[in-house]
Coordinates of all heavy atoms in Angstrom, one line a residue:
M1007 N 0.8 -1.2 0.0 CA 0.0 0.0 0.0 C 0.9 1.2 0.0 O 1.8 1.4 0.8 CB -0.9 0.0 1.3 CG -2.1 0.8 1.1 SD -3.3 0.3 2.3 CE -3.5 1.7 3.3
A1008 N 0.6 2.2 -0.9 CA 1.4 3.4 -1.0 C 1.1 4.3 0.1 O -0.1 4.5 0.5 CB 1.2 4.1 -2.3
E1009 N 2.1 5.0 0.6 CA 1.9 5.9 1.7 C 1.5 7.3 1.1 O 2.2 7.8 0.2 CB 3.2 6.0 2.5 CG 3.0 6.9 3.8 CD 4.3 6.9 4.6 OE1 4.9 5.8 4.7 OE2 4.6 8.0 5.1
E1010 N 0.4 7.9 1.6 CA 0.0 9.2 1.1 C 0.6 10.3 2.0 O 0.6 10.1 3.2 CB -1.5 9.3 1.1 CG -2.2 8.4 0.1 CD -3.7 8.6 0.1 OE1 -4.1 9.8 0.3 OE2 -4.4 7.6 -0.1
T1011 N 1.1 11.3 1.4 CA 1.6 12.5 2.1 C 0.7 13.7 1.8 O 0.4 13.8 0.6 CB 3.1 12.8 1.8 OG1 3.2 13.0 0.4 CG2 4.0 11.6 2.2
E1012 N 0.5 14.5 2.7 CA -0.3 15.7 2.5 C 0.6 16.8 2.3 O 1.5 17.1 3.1 CB -1.2 16.0 3.7 CG -2.4 15.0 3.8 CD -3.4 15.4 4.9 OE1 -3.5 16.6 5.1 OE2 -3.9 14.5 5.5
N1013 N 0.4 17.6 1.3 CA 1.2 18.8 1.1 C 0.3 20.0 1.6 O -0.8 20.1 1.2 CB 1.5 19.0 -0.4 CG 2.5 18.0 -0.9 OD1 3.3 17.6 -0.2 ND2 2.4 17.7 -2.2
P1014 N 0.9 20.8 2.4 CA 0.1 22.0 2.9 C -0.3 22.9 1.7 O 0.5 23.0 0.7 CB 1.1 22.7 3.8 CG 2.4 22.2 3.5 CD 2.3 20.9 2.9
P1015 N -1.4 23.5 1.8 CA -1.8 24.4 0.7 C -0.8 25.6 0.7 O -0.3 26.1 1.7 CB -3.2 24.9 1.2 CG -3.3 24.6 2.6 CD -2.4 23.5 2.9
T1016 N -0.5 26.1 -0.5 CA 0.4 27.2 -0.7 C -0.2 28.5 -0.8 O 0.4 29.5 -0.7 CB 1.3 27.0 -1.9 OG1 0.5 26.9 -3.1 CG2 2.2 25.7 -1.8
A1017 N -1.5 28.6 -0.9 CA -2.2 29.8 -1.0 C -2.7 30.3 0.4 O -3.3 29.5 1.1 CB -3.4 29.7 -1.9
P1018 N -2.4 31.5 0.7 CA -2.8 32.0 2.0 C -4.4 32.2 2.0 O -4.9 32.5 0.9 CB -2.1 33.4 2.2 CG -1.7 33.8 0.8 CD -1.6 32.5 0.0
T1019 N -5.0 32.1 3.1 CA -6.4 32.3 3.2 C -6.8 33.8 3.2 O -5.9 34.6 3.4 CB -7.0 31.7 4.6 OG1 -6.4 32.5 5.6 CG2 -6.6 30.3 4.7
A1020 N -8.1 34.0 2.9 CA -8.5 35.4 2.9 C -8.3 36.1 4.2 O -8.0 37.3 4.3 CB -10.0 35.4 2.5
R1021 N -8.5 35.3 5.3 CA -8.3 35.9 6.6 C -6.8 36.3 6.9 O -6.6 37.3 7.4 CB -8.8 34.9 7.7 CG -8.8 35.4 9.1 CD -9.4 34.4 10.0 NE -9.6 35.0 11.3 CZ -10.1 34.3 12.3 NH1 -10.5 33.1 12.2 NH2 -10.2 34.9 13.5
Q1022 N -5.9 35.5 6.4 CA -4.5 35.8 6.6 C -4.1 37.0 5.8 O -3.4 37.9 6.3 CB -3.7 34.6 6.2 CG -3.8 33.4 7.1 CD -3.3 32.1 6.5 OE1 -3.2 31.9 5.3 NE2 -3.0 31.1 7.4
L1023 N -4.6 37.1 4.5 CA -4.3 38.2 3.7 C -4.9 39.5 4.3 O -4.3 40.6 4.4 CB -4.9 38.0 2.3 CG -4.2 37.0 1.4 CD1 -5.0 36.6 0.2 CD2 -2.8 37.5 1.0
A1024 N -6.2 39.4 4.8 CA -6.8 40.6 5.4 C -6.0 41.1 6.6 O -5.9 42.3 6.8 CB -8.2 40.3 5.8
S1025 N -5.5 40.1 7.4 CA -4.8 40.5 8.6 C -3.5 41.2 8.3 O -3.2 42.2 8.9 CB -4.5 39.2 9.4 OG -3.7 39.5 10.6
A1026 N -2.8 40.7 7.3 CA -1.5 41.4 6.8 C -1.8 42.7 6.2 O -1.1 43.7 6.5 CB -0.8 40.5 5.9
R1027 N -2.9 42.8 5.4 CA -3.2 44.1 4.8 C -3.6 45.2 5.9 O -3.3 46.3 5.8 CB -4.3 43.9 3.8 CG -3.9 43.2 2.6 CD -5.0 43.0 1.6 NE -4.5 42.4 0.4 CZ -5.0 41.3 -0.2 NH1 -6.1 40.8 0.3 NH2 -4.5 40.7 -1.2
E1028 N -4.4 44.7 6.9 CA -4.8 45.6 8.0 C -3.5 46.1 8.7 O -3.5 47.3 9.1 CB -5.7 44.9 8.9 CG -6.2 45.7 10.1 CD -7.1 44.9 11.0 OE1 -7.9 44.0 10.5 OE2 -7.1 45.2 12.2
F1029 N -2.6 45.2 9.0 CA -1.3 45.6 9.6 C -0.6 46.7 8.8 O -0.2 47.7 9.4 CB -0.4 44.4 9.9 CG 0.8 44.8 10.6 CD1 0.9 44.7 11.9 CD2 2.0 45.2 9.9 CE1 2.1 45.1 12.6 CE2 3.1 45.5 10.5 CZ 3.2 45.5 11.9
V1030 N -0.5 46.5 7.6 CA 0.2 47.5 6.7 C -0.5 48.8 6.7 O 0.1 49.9 6.9 CB 0.4 46.9 5.3 CG1 0.9 48.0 4.3 CG2 1.3 45.7 5.2
A1031 N -1.8 48.8 6.6 CA -2.6 50.0 6.6 C -2.4 50.8 7.9 O -2.4 52.0 8.0 CB -4.0 49.7 6.3
K1032 N -2.4 50.0 9.0 CA -2.3 50.7 10.4 C -0.9 51.1 10.7 O -0.7 52.1 11.4 CB -2.8 49.7 11.4 CG -2.9 50.2 12.8 CD -3.5 49.2 13.7 CE -3.6 49.8 15.1 NZ -4.2 48.8 16.1
H1033 N 0.1 50.4 10.3 CA 1.5 50.7 10.8 C 2.5 51.2 9.7 O 3.7 51.3 10.0 CB 2.1 49.4 11.4 CG 1.3 49.0 12.6 ND1 1.3 49.6 13.8 CD2 0.4 48.0 12.8 CE1 0.5 49.1 14.7 NE2 -0.1 48.0 14.1
G1034 N 2.0 51.6 8.6 CA 2.8 52.3 7.6 C 3.3 51.5 6.4 O 3.5 50.3 6.5
K1035 N 3.5 52.2 5.3 CA 4.0 51.6 4.1 C 5.3 52.1 3.7 O 5.6 53.3 3.9 CB 3.0 52.0 3.0 CG 1.6 51.5 3.2 CD 0.7 52.1 2.2 CE -0.8 51.8 2.5 NZ -1.7 52.3 1.5
P1036 N 6.2 51.3 3.2 CA 6.1 49.8 3.2 C 6.4 49.2 4.5 O 7.2 49.7 5.3 CB 7.1 49.4 2.1 CG 8.2 50.4 2.3 CD 7.5 51.7 2.6
S1037 N 5.8 48.1 4.8 CA 6.1 47.3 6.0 C 7.0 46.1 5.5 O 7.0 45.8 4.4 CB 4.8 46.8 6.6 OG 4.1 47.8 7.2
R1038 N 7.6 45.5 6.5 CA 8.5 44.3 6.2 C 7.9 43.0 6.7 O 7.1 43.1 7.7 CB 9.8 44.5 6.9 CG 10.6 45.7 6.4 CD 11.8 46.0 7.3 NE 12.4 47.2 6.9 CZ 13.6 47.3 6.3 NH1 14.3 46.2 6.1 NH2 14.1 48.4 6.0
A1039 N 8.3 42.0 6.1 CA 7.8 40.6 6.5 C 9.0 39.7 6.5 O 9.6 39.5 5.5 CB 6.7 40.2 5.6
V1040 N 9.2 39.0 7.6 CA 10.2 37.9 7.7 C 9.4 36.6 7.9 O 8.7 36.4 8.8 CB 11.1 38.2 8.9 CG1 12.1 37.1 9.0 CG2 11.8 39.5 8.8
V1041 N 9.6 35.7 7.0 CA 9.0 34.4 7.0 C 9.9 33.4 7.7 O 11.0 33.2 7.4 CB 8.6 33.8 5.6 CG1 8.0 32.5 5.7 CG2 7.8 34.8 4.8
E1042 N 9.4 32.8 8.8 CA 10.2 31.9 9.7 C 9.5 30.5 9.7 O 8.3 30.4 10.1 CB 10.3 32.5 11.1 CG 10.9 33.8 11.2 CD 10.9 34.4 12.6 OE1 10.0 34.1 13.4 OE2 11.8 35.1 12.9
N1043 N 10.2 29.5 9.5 CA 9.7 28.1 9.6 C 9.6 27.8 11.1 O 10.5 28.0 11.8 CB 10.7 27.2 8.9 CG 10.2 25.7 8.9 OD1 9.2 25.4 9.5 ND2 11.0 24.9 8.3
I1044 N 8.4 27.3 11.5 CA 8.3 26.9 12.9 C 7.9 25.4 13.0 O 7.2 25.0 13.9 CB 7.2 27.8 13.6 CG1 5.9 27.8 12.9 CG2 7.7 29.2 13.8 CD1 4.8 28.5 13.7
G1045 N 8.5 24.6 12.0 CA 8.3 23.2 12.1 C 7.0 22.7 11.6 O 6.4 23.2 10.7
L1046 N 6.5 21.7 12.3 CA 5.2 21.0 11.9 C 4.0 22.0 12.0 O 3.1 21.8 11.3 CB 4.9 19.8 12.8 CG 5.9 18.6 12.7 CD1 5.6 17.5 13.6 CD2 5.9 18.1 11.2
A1047 N 4.2 23.0 12.8 CA 3.1 24.0 12.9 C 2.9 24.9 11.7 O 1.9 25.6 11.5 CB 3.3 24.9 14.2
G1048 N 4.0 24.9 10.9 CA 3.9 25.8 9.7 C 5.0 26.8 9.6 O 6.2 26.6 9.8
A1049 N 4.5 28.1 9.4 CA 5.5 29.2 9.4 C 4.8 30.4 10.0 O 3.6 30.5 10.1 CB 5.9 29.5 7.9
R1050 N 5.7 31.3 10.5 CA 5.3 32.5 11.1 C 5.8 33.7 10.2 O 7.0 33.7 9.9 CB 5.9 32.7 12.5 CG 5.5 33.9 13.2 CD 6.2 34.0 14.6 NE 5.8 35.2 15.3 CZ 6.6 35.8 16.1 NH1 7.9 35.4 16.3 NH2 6.2 36.9 16.7
V1051 N 4.9 34.5 9.8 CA 5.2 35.7 9.0 C 5.3 36.9 10.0 O 4.2 37.3 10.5 CB 4.2 36.0 7.9 CG1 4.7 37.2 7.1 CG2 4.1 34.8 7.0
V1052 N 6.5 37.3 10.4 CA 6.6 38.4 11.3 C 6.5 39.7 10.5 O 7.3 39.9 9.6 CB 8.0 38.3 12.1 CG1 8.1 39.5 13.1 CG2 8.1 37.0 12.8
L1053 N 5.6 40.6 10.9 CA 5.4 41.8 10.3 C 6.0 42.9 11.1 O 5.9 43.0 12.3 CB 3.9 42.1 10.1 CG 3.1 41.0 9.4 CD1 1.6 41.2 9.6 CD2 3.5 40.8 8.0
V1054 N 6.7 43.8 10.4 CA 7.4 45.0 11.1 C 6.9 46.2 10.3 O 7.2 46.4 9.1 CB 8.9 44.9 11.0 CG1 9.5 46.1 11.7 CG2 9.4 43.6 11.7
G1055 N 6.2 47.1 11.0 CA 5.7 48.3 10.4 C 6.7 49.4 10.3 O 7.7 49.4 11.0
Q1056 N 6.4 50.5 9.6 CA 7.2 51.6 9.5 C 7.3 52.3 10.8 O 8.3 53.0 11.1 CB 6.7 52.6 8.4 CG 7.0 52.2 7.0 CD 8.5 52.3 6.8 OE1 9.2 53.3 7.1 NE2 9.1 51.2 6.2
D1057 N 6.3 52.2 11.7 CA 6.3 52.8 13.0 C 7.0 52.0 14.1 O 7.1 52.3 15.2 CB 4.9 53.1 13.5 CG 4.0 51.9 13.6 OD1 4.5 50.8 13.3 OD2 2.8 52.1 14.0
G1058 N 7.6 50.8 13.7 CA 8.3 49.9 14.6 C 7.4 48.9 15.2 O 8.0 48.0 16.0
A1059 N 6.1 48.9 15.0 CA 5.3 47.9 15.6 C 5.5 46.5 15.0 O 6.0 46.4 13.8 CB 3.8 48.2 15.3
M1060 N 5.3 45.5 15.8 CA 5.5 44.1 15.3 C 4.1 43.4 15.3 O 3.3 43.6 16.2 CB 6.4 43.3 16.2 CG 7.9 43.7 15.9 SD 9.0 42.7 17.0 CE 8.8 41.1 16.4
G1061 N 3.9 42.5 14.4 CA 2.7 41.6 14.4 C 3.1 40.3 13.7 O 4.3 40.2 13.3
D1062 N 2.2 39.4 13.7 CA 2.5 38.2 12.9 C 1.3 37.5 12.4 O 0.2 37.8 12.8 CB 3.3 37.2 13.8 CG 2.6 36.7 15.0 OD1 1.4 37.1 15.3 OD2 3.1 35.9 15.8
V1063 N 1.5 36.6 11.4 CA 0.4 35.8 10.8 C 1.0 34.4 10.7 O 2.1 34.2 10.2 CB 0.0 36.3 9.4 CG1 -1.0 35.5 8.8 CG2 -0.4 37.8 9.4
L1064 N 0.2 33.4 11.3 CA 0.6 32.0 11.2 C 0.0 31.4 9.9 O -1.2 31.6 9.6 CB 0.2 31.3 12.4 CG 0.8 31.7 13.7 CD1 0.3 30.9 14.9 CD2 2.3 31.7 13.7
V1065 N 0.9 30.7 9.1 CA 0.4 30.1 7.9 C 0.9 28.7 7.8 O 1.6 28.2 8.7 CB 1.0 30.9 6.7 CG1 0.4 32.3 6.6 CG2 2.5 30.9 6.7
A1066 N 0.4 27.9 6.8 CA 0.6 26.5 6.7 C 2.1 26.1 6.5 O 2.5 25.1 6.9 CB -0.2 25.9 5.6
G1067 N 2.9 27.0 5.9 CA 4.3 26.7 5.6 C 5.0 27.9 5.0 O 4.4 28.9 4.8
V1068 N 6.3 27.7 4.8 CA 7.1 28.8 4.3 C 6.6 29.2 2.9 O 6.6 30.4 2.6 CB 8.6 28.4 4.2 CG1 9.5 29.4 3.5 CG2 9.1 28.1 5.6
E1069 N 6.2 28.3 2.0 CA 5.7 28.7 0.7 C 4.5 29.5 0.8 O 4.3 30.5 0.1 CB 5.4 27.4 -0.1 CG 6.6 26.6 -0.6 CD 6.3 25.4 -1.4 OE1 5.1 25.2 -1.7 OE2 7.2 24.6 -1.7
T1070 N 3.6 29.2 1.7 CA 2.4 30.0 2.0 C 2.8 31.4 2.5 O 2.2 32.4 2.1 CB 1.5 29.3 3.0 OG1 1.2 28.0 2.5 CG2 0.2 30.0 3.1
G1071 N 3.8 31.5 3.4 CA 4.2 32.7 3.9 C 4.8 33.6 2.8 O 4.5 34.8 2.7
N1072 N 5.6 33.0 1.9 CA 6.2 33.8 0.8 C 5.1 34.2 -0.2 O 5.1 35.4 -0.7 CB 7.2 32.9 0.0 CG 8.4 32.7 0.9 OD1 8.8 33.5 1.7 ND2 9.1 31.6 0.6
A1073 N 4.1 33.4 -0.4 CA 2.9 33.8 -1.2 C 2.1 34.9 -0.6 O 1.7 35.9 -1.3 CB 2.0 32.6 -1.5
L1074 N 2.0 34.9 0.7 CA 1.3 36.0 1.4 C 2.0 37.3 1.2 O 1.4 38.3 0.8 CB 1.2 35.7 2.9 CG 0.4 36.7 3.7 CD1 -0.5 36.1 4.7 CD2 1.4 37.6 4.5
V1075 N 3.3 37.3 1.3 CA 4.1 38.5 1.2 C 4.0 39.1 -0.2 O 3.8 40.3 -0.5 CB 5.6 38.3 1.5 CG1 6.5 39.5 1.2 CG2 5.8 37.9 3.0
E1076 N 4.0 38.2 -1.2 CA 3.9 38.6 -2.6 C 2.5 39.2 -2.9 O 2.4 40.1 -3.8 CB 4.1 37.4 -3.5 CG 5.5 36.9 -3.6 CD 5.7 35.7 -4.4 OE1 4.8 35.3 -5.2 OE2 6.8 35.1 -4.3
Q1077 N 1.5 38.7 -2.2 CA 0.1 39.2 -2.5 C -0.4 40.4 -1.8 O -1.4 41.0 -2.1 CB -0.9 38.0 -2.3 CG -0.7 36.8 -3.2 CD -1.7 35.7 -2.9 OE1 -2.8 35.9 -2.5 NE2 -1.2 34.5 -3.0
V1078 N 0.4 40.9 -0.8 CA 0.0 42.0 -0.1 C 0.8 43.3 -0.6 O 2.0 43.3 -0.5 CB 0.2 41.8 1.4 CG1 -0.1 43.1 2.2 CG2 -0.7 40.7 1.9
D1079 N 0.1 44.3 -1.1 CA 0.7 45.5 -1.5 C 1.4 46.2 -0.4 O 0.9 46.2 0.8 CB -0.3 46.4 -2.1 CG -0.9 45.9 -3.4 OD1 -0.3 45.1 -4.1 OD2 -2.0 46.3 -3.8
D1080 N 2.6 46.7 -0.7 CA 3.4 47.5 0.3 C 3.9 46.6 1.5 O 4.2 47.1 2.5 CB 2.6 48.7 0.9 CG 2.2 49.7 -0.2 OD1 3.1 50.1 -1.0 OD2 1.1 50.1 -0.3
L1081 N 4.0 45.3 1.2 CA 4.7 44.4 2.2 C 5.9 43.9 1.5 O 5.8 43.2 0.4 CB 3.7 43.3 2.6 CG 4.2 42.4 3.7 CD1 4.4 43.2 5.0 CD2 3.1 41.3 4.0
E1082 N 7.1 44.1 2.1 CA 8.3 43.7 1.4 C 8.9 42.5 2.2 O 9.0 42.5 3.4 CB 9.3 44.9 1.5 CG 8.8 46.1 0.7 CD 9.8 47.3 0.8 OE1 10.7 47.2 1.7 OE2 9.6 48.2 0.1
A1083 N 9.4 41.6 1.4 CA 10.1 40.4 2.1 C 11.4 41.0 2.7 O 12.1 41.8 2.1 CB 10.5 39.4 1.0
A1084 N 11.7 40.5 3.9 CA 12.9 40.9 4.6 C 13.5 39.7 5.4 O 13.0 38.7 5.5 CB 12.5 42.0 5.6
E1085 N 14.7 40.0 5.9 CA 15.4 39.1 6.8 C 15.7 39.8 8.0 O 15.5 41.0 8.1 CB 16.8 38.6 6.1 CG 16.6 37.9 4.8 CD 16.0 36.5 5.0 OE1 16.2 35.9 6.0 OE2 15.3 36.1 4.1
W1086 N 16.2 39.1 9.0 CA 16.5 39.8 10.3 C 17.9 40.4 10.2 O 18.9 40.1 10.9 CB 16.5 38.8 11.5 CG 15.1 38.5 11.9 CD1 14.5 37.3 11.8 CD2 14.1 39.4 12.3 NE1 13.2 37.4 12.3 CE2 12.9 38.7 12.6 CE3 14.1 40.8 12.6 CZ2 11.7 39.3 13.0 CZ3 12.9 41.4 13.0 CH2 11.8 40.6 13.2
D1087 N 18.0 41.3 9.2 CA 19.3 42.1 9.1 C 19.3 43.3 10.0 O 18.3 43.6 10.6 CB 19.5 42.5 7.6 CG 18.3 43.3 7.0 OD1 17.5 43.8 7.8 OD2 18.2 43.4 5.8
S1088 N 20.3 44.0 10.0 CA 20.4 45.2 10.9 C 19.4 46.2 10.6 O 18.8 46.8 11.6 CB 21.8 45.8 10.9 OG 22.1 46.3 9.6
E1089 N 19.1 46.4 9.4 CA 18.1 47.5 9.0 C 16.7 47.1 9.5 O 16.0 47.9 10.1 CB 18.0 47.6 7.5 CG 17.2 48.8 7.1 CD 17.3 49.0 5.6 OE1 18.4 48.8 5.0 OE2 16.3 49.4 5.0
T1090 N 16.3 45.8 9.4 CA 15.0 45.4 9.9 C 15.0 45.4 11.4 O 14.0 45.9 12.0 CB 14.7 43.9 9.4 OG1 14.7 43.9 8.0 CG2 13.3 43.5 9.9
V1091 N 16.0 45.0 12.1 CA 16.1 45.0 13.5 C 16.0 46.4 14.1 O 15.3 46.6 15.1 CB 17.3 44.2 14.0 CG1 17.5 44.4 15.5 CG2 17.2 42.7 13.7
K1092 N 16.7 47.3 13.4 CA 16.7 48.7 13.9 C 15.3 49.3 13.8 O 15.0 50.3 14.5 CB 17.7 49.6 13.1 CG 19.1 49.3 13.4 CD 20.0 50.1 12.5 CE 21.4 49.7 12.7 NZ 22.3 50.4 11.8
T1093 N 14.4 48.9 12.9 CA 13.1 49.4 12.7 C 12.2 49.0 13.8 O 11.3 49.8 14.2 CB 12.5 48.8 11.4 OG1 13.4 49.1 10.3 CG2 11.1 49.4 11.1
V1094 N 12.4 47.9 14.5 CA 11.5 47.4 15.5 C 11.7 48.2 16.8 O 12.8 48.5 17.2 CB 11.9 45.9 15.9 CG1 11.0 45.4 17.0 CG2 11.7 45.0 14.7
K1095 N 10.5 48.6 17.3 CA 10.5 49.4 18.6 C 9.7 48.5 19.6 O 8.5 48.3 19.4 CB 9.8 50.7 18.4 CG 10.6 51.7 17.5 CD 10.0 53.0 17.4 CE 10.8 54.0 16.6 NZ 11.0 53.6 15.2
I1096 N 10.4 48.0 20.6 CA 9.7 47.2 21.6 C 9.6 48.0 22.9 O 10.6 48.5 23.5 CB 10.6 45.9 21.9 CG1 10.7 45.1 20.6 CG2 9.9 45.1 23.0 CD1 11.6 43.9 20.7
G1097 N 8.3 48.2 23.3 CA 8.1 49.0 24.5 C 8.2 48.1 25.8 O 8.4 46.9 25.8
A1098 N 8.2 48.8 26.9 CA 8.3 48.2 28.3 C 7.3 47.1 28.5 O 7.6 46.1 29.1 CB 8.3 49.3 29.3
A1099 N 6.0 47.4 28.1 CA 5.0 46.4 28.4 C 5.3 45.1 27.6 O 5.0 44.0 28.2 CB 3.6 47.0 27.9
H1100 N 5.7 45.2 26.4 CA 6.0 44.0 25.6 C 7.2 43.2 26.2 O 7.2 42.0 26.3 CB 6.3 44.4 24.2 CG 6.5 43.2 23.3 ND1 5.5 42.4 22.9 CD2 7.6 42.6 22.8 CE1 5.9 41.4 22.1 NE2 7.2 41.5 22.0
R1101 N 8.2 44.0 26.7 CA 9.4 43.3 27.4 C 8.9 42.6 28.6 O 9.4 41.5 28.9 CB 10.4 44.4 27.7 CG 11.1 45.0 26.5 CD 12.2 46.0 26.9 NE 12.6 46.8 25.8 CZ 13.5 46.4 24.9 NH1 14.1 45.2 25.0 NH2 13.8 47.2 23.9
R1102 N 8.0 43.2 29.4 CA 7.5 42.5 30.6 C 6.8 41.2 30.2 O 6.9 40.2 30.9 CB 6.7 43.4 31.4 CG 7.4 44.4 32.3 CD 6.5 45.1 33.3 NE 5.5 45.9 32.6 CZ 5.7 47.2 32.2 NH1 6.9 47.8 32.3 NH2 4.7 47.8 31.6
K1103 N 6.0 41.3 29.2 CA 5.2 40.2 28.7 C 6.1 39.0 28.3 O 5.9 37.9 28.6 CB 4.3 40.6 27.6 CG 3.4 39.5 27.0 CD 2.5 40.0 25.9 CE 1.7 38.9 25.3 NZ 0.9 39.3 24.1
M1104 N 7.2 39.4 27.6 CA 8.1 38.4 27.1 C 8.9 37.8 28.2 O 9.2 36.6 28.2 CB 9.1 39.0 26.1 CG 8.5 39.6 24.8 SD 8.1 38.3 23.7 CE 9.6 37.8 23.1
A1105 N 9.1 38.5 29.3 CA 9.9 38.0 30.5 C 9.0 37.0 31.3 O 9.6 36.2 32.0 CB 10.3 39.1 31.3
G1106 N 7.7 37.1 31.2 CA 6.8 36.2 31.9 C 7.0 36.3 33.4 O 7.2 37.5 33.9
P1107 N 6.9 35.2 34.1 CA 6.9 35.3 35.6 C 8.3 35.8 36.2 O 8.3 36.3 37.3 CB 6.7 33.8 36.0 CG 6.7 33.0 34.8 CD 6.7 33.9 33.6
R1108 N 9.3 35.8 35.4 CA 10.6 36.3 35.9 C 10.6 37.8 36.0 O 11.6 38.4 36.5 CB 11.7 35.8 35.0 CG 11.9 34.3 35.1 CD 13.0 33.9 34.3 NE 13.1 32.4 34.4 CZ 14.2 31.8 34.3 NH1 15.3 32.4 34.1 NH2 14.3 30.5 34.4
A1109 N 9.7 38.5 35.4 CA 9.7 40.0 35.3 C 9.5 40.6 36.7 O 10.0 41.7 37.0 CB 8.5 40.5 34.4
G1110 N 8.9 39.8 37.7 CA 8.7 40.4 39.0 C 9.9 40.3 39.9 O 9.9 40.8 41.0
R1111 N 10.9 39.6 39.5 CA 12.1 39.4 40.3 C 13.0 40.6 40.4 O 13.2 41.4 39.7 CB 12.9 38.2 39.8 CG 12.2 36.9 40.0 CD 13.1 35.8 39.5 NE 12.4 34.5 39.6 CZ 12.9 33.4 39.3 NH1 14.1 33.3 38.8 NH2 12.2 32.3 39.4

């Protein structure tokens, strides 16, 4: 018996596209997108706005993430290079959230 493998869909959903478009509209044009493989869960498209805000969209895989970036106007593919990192502005509230329970120490 042949083993069947499922290929994740490569087209982003309407909801994923709407989320990315809304981010770009709210946080400035052009915005950047870094597609990161997160294993079996798929891929994370990290969005970085012109105002330094960060957001993300989870998709089925890296191919889907790349397709999402291509389909959203004013969203540019990026890497975690110095220019992208310098754009990000992380506030104190986000830093505390990231620290979790150790923040109170």
Side-chain angles (χ1 to χ4, degrees):
M1007 200 157 120
E1009 187 175 320
E1010 292 183 33
T1011 59
E1012 288 186 35
N1013 291 329
T1016 58
T1019 66
R1021 187 175 189 176
Q1022 292 165 337
L1023 289 167
S1025 180
R1027 288 180 179 130
E1028 182 180 327
F1029 180 91
V1030 171
K1032 185 175 181 182
H1033 297 287
K1035 301 174 185 179
S1037 290
R1038 297 169 184 253
V1040 179
V1041 179
E1042 301 175 328
N1043 184 356
I1044 55 175
L1046 294 176
R1050 177 181 184 216
V1051 182
V1052 181
L1053 306 170
V1054 180
Q1056 281 294 309
D1057 62 359
M1060 286 181 64
D1062 63 358
V1063 179
L1064 297 180
V1065 295
V1068 172
E1069 288 180 8
T1070 306
N1072 291 331
L1074 181 135
V1075 174
E1076 290 176 13
Q1077 293 178 39
V1078 175
D1079 292 336
D1080 297 311
L1081 188 59
E1082 299 175 348
E1085 298 292 327
W1086 286 118
D1087 55 15
S1088 62
E1089 190 175 325
T1090 301
V1091 172
K1092 287 178 189 176
T1093 303
V1094 176
K1095 292 183 177 65
I1096 299 175
H1100 186 74
R1101 290 181 194 279
R1102 281 191 298 275
K1103 181 180 176 184
M1104 296 284 290
R1108 294 180 180 211
R1111 290 185 184 178

